[in-house]
Amino acid sequence: MTSWIRWQDSLWPSPEEGDSPWRPWSGRIEKFLPYALLALSTVLSLLLSGRDPAVTLRLVGIAAVWLLLTFTPLPERWADHPVVVAVSFAGLVTIAAVLEGHDTIFLIFMITGFFDAMRLRPAPLALAGIFVVSALINTMPDGGPLRAFAEQPALWTVITLVQTAAVGGGGLASAAMARQHAERKRMLDELAAAQEENAVLQRQLLSQAREAGVLDERQRLSQEIHDTLAQGFTGIITQLEAADEAKSDPAEWQRHVGSAMALARENLTAARRSVRALGPQPLAGATLPDALDEVSRLWSGRTGVEVRFTTTGTPRALHPEIEATLLRITQEALANVEKHAAATIVGLTLSYMADQVTVDVRDDGRGFEPGTARPAGDSGFGVPGMRARVARLAGTLHLESEPGGGTAVSANLPALEARP
């Protein structure tokens, strides 16, 4: 009942209108319940009671007019006014008491008083209204509350108090459940909003990482072309020029031409590697563990350095940006090992955890002093680029090394799972 809910609202803040799907129905029930109970009482009285029908109908007419004037047609802002509610309650209870005094059957209509009492403000006044209705509904058949309480005050007081406590307690329990329902709904709404906001932020982060990754790849490839192909072409030209100057010496000419051919083959290999680097080809149709295993196996076969690859945790499909970043960092770390470390063994570990995924690359090479300048001529992607990659995906990169003690690179990223 809306009146019941309004009484709850006087005790505790209630949910916003529309939060509960049964509120519209409760409003309709409240509007028509007094008329339904009055009509039911009237029909039963006319059929079962020996009271004068004319008197009964006149009293019922007065009750109906009172309901029409003070209850149903009033605007919402007036219907909830404490003075209007108090007048409506007083008139309704008075007419219902007269009807019940005329015919006990009209105690059915008197039940309406309980719901009207719950509209009273503040809550103690509502409890007082329930007490009055309880007293009238129980004592009117025995001559009214004055006579009943005068003859048996203890009995009727206990009965009235127990009934008031039962009705009021039901209101308290209902209010508590409504409050819990509202609190749960509020928390669920906040959680859903937070999850949606987090999803939006993750999408934005990955979108930014994708755009930044494209720029990084272009920068890395241009640097790689400069460091390998351009230098290789320079070497080829140098060898061919030397061969041209050594035409009179066949052996020297052959040596320079052979060197130029060897450099050309190396450049062709480097060019193919650069083309493959345009996209994470090992990930095409393969899981990340399989891709890393293939990369490490091919790298080991080319360099002659042993790679021990292991996977810990439960492998699962991650967001493509996460997997591509881990693959690129592994490739870059292995390239650095090949270029600088002079290692004999490399350990590669892929670790899946609850909310993180980590790649560790460790070698037993010559190592270096962290923080020192890079070797002359070394302008490749390197550690700063790897840090930039993981930072764009809210990850971290740790580097440990010491001269003669090898190097360890660890990249840690959030384990964002791939969407189905």
Side-chain angles (χ1 to χ4, degrees):
M1 305 298 173
T2 304
S3 57
W4 188 290
I5 297 168
R6 290 173 182 162
W7 181 62
Q8 297 168 12
D9 294 345
S10 70
L11 300 176
W12 293 287
S14 62
E16 293 295 329
E17 194 69 29
D19 281 355
S20 179
W22 48 264
R23 279 181 176 256
W25 290 101
S26 66
R28 295 171 188 170
I29 292 173
E30 181 193 28
K31 289 182 179 179
F32 296 108
L33 180 63
Y35 299 101
L37 295 180
L38 180 62
L40 177 61
S41 302
T42 302
V43 171
L44 293 177
S45 178
L46 294 176
L47 293 177
L48 304 177
S49 174
R51 306 295 182 181
D52 185 354
V55 175
T56 299
L57 292 175
R58 280 197 296 270
L59 293 175
V60 169
I62 294 172
V65 171
W66 180 258
L67 292 176
L68 289 172
L69 292 177
T70 64
F71 188 69
T72 304
L74 293 178
E76 185 70 20
R77 65 179 183 276
W78 292 356
D80 288 335
H81 194 280
V83 175
V84 174
V85 172
V87 171
S88 174
F89 170 75
L92 175 66
V93 170
T94 300
I95 296 172
V98 173
L99 281 168
E100 188 179 357
H102 171 70
D103 189 348
T104 305
I105 291 178
F106 280 94
L107 67 83
I108 297 174
F109 177 60
M110 178 64 82
I111 296 174
T112 306
F114 284 123
F115 299 104
D116 215 30
M118 294 173 192
R119 301 170 58 205
L120 296 171
R121 298 288 191 278
L125 186 59
L127 291 174
I130 295 174
F131 182 89
V132 170
V133 174
S134 178
L136 291 173
I137 204 171
N138 286 293
T139 61
M140 286 305 299
D142 293 330
L146 295 179
R147 177 179 175 182
F149 277 90
E151 293 179 353
Q152 294 179 298
L155 174 63
W156 291 110
T157 299
V158 171
I159 291 175
T160 305
L161 287 175
V162 169
Q163 191 170 36
T164 301
V167 176
L172 294 177
S174 179
M177 288 187 291
R179 183 179 58 180
Q180 292 174 357
H181 169 77
E183 182 65 17
R184 284 196 301 270
K185 186 177 185 304
R186 183 188 64 80
M187 294 177 62
L188 290 174
D189 290 343
E190 290 180 354
L191 179 60
Q195 290 177 337
E196 178 62 25
E197 182 180 0
N198 186 50
V200 171
L201 291 176
Q202 287 183 355
R203 288 194 293 269
Q204 292 176 348
L205 177 64
L206 292 173
S207 176
Q208 294 172 358
R210 186 179 297 109
E211 295 174 0
V214 172
L215 297 177
D216 283 342
E217 284 300 295
R218 290 175 179 173
Q219 181 180 359
R220 188 183 73 83
L221 288 174
S222 65
Q223 192 65 60
E224 182 175 329
I225 290 173
H226 173 269
D227 293 344
T228 57
L229 300 183
Q231 293 177 5
F233 285 132
T234 300
I236 292 172
I237 292 172
T238 301
Q239 293 297 324
L240 291 177
E241 289 176 346
D244 186 61
E245 294 176 357
K247 290 180 180 179
S248 58
D249 186 347
E252 187 68 12
W253 179 87
Q254 183 64 40
R255 187 178 69 81
H256 287 301
V257 170
S259 297
M261 292 179 63
L263 286 173
R265 293 190 184 94
E266 291 178 4
N267 264 26
L268 178 60
T269 301
R272 288 171 175 170
R273 185 171 63 249
S274 297
V275 170
R276 287 196 299 270
L278 289 172
Q281 191 66 27
L283 284 174
T287 64
L288 180 58
D290 291 339
L292 293 183
D293 183 57
E294 178 187 6
V295 166
S296 61
R297 180 175 53 80
L298 293 176
W299 182 87
S300 178
R302 179 169 57 84
T303 62
V305 179
E306 180 184 357
V307 178
R308 298 174 181 176
F309 173 62
T310 57
T311 301
T312 65
T314 303
R316 57 189 184 277
L318 302 177
H319 193 282
E321 291 294 330
I322 301 295
E323 293 191 342
T325 298
L326 293 173
L327 178 65
R328 289 302 189 204
I329 289 175
T330 301
Q331 290 174 321
E332 187 64 34
L334 291 176
N336 289 340
V337 172
E338 177 184 3
K339 192 172 185 179
H340 304 296
T344 59
I345 298 176
V346 174
L348 174 60
T349 303
L350 174 64
S351 303
Y352 289 92
M353 291 165 280
D355 55 354
Q356 294 180 332
V357 59
T358 301
V359 161
D360 297 294
V361 181
R362 306 170 305 281
D363 67 71
D364 64 349
R366 61 170 60 100
F368 64 95
E369 188 67 38
T372 58
R374 290 179 296 185
D378 180 12
S379 56
F381 187 74
V383 175
M386 289 191 284
R387 290 193 190 280
R389 282 183 183 275
V390 298
R392 289 190 181 96
L393 294 177
T396 56
L397 184 87
H398 299 284
L399 174 66
E400 295 181 3
S401 184
E402 61 178 342
T407 302
V409 176
S410 177
N412 185 281
L413 292 175
L416 302 178
E417 297 190 12
R419 293 188 176 182

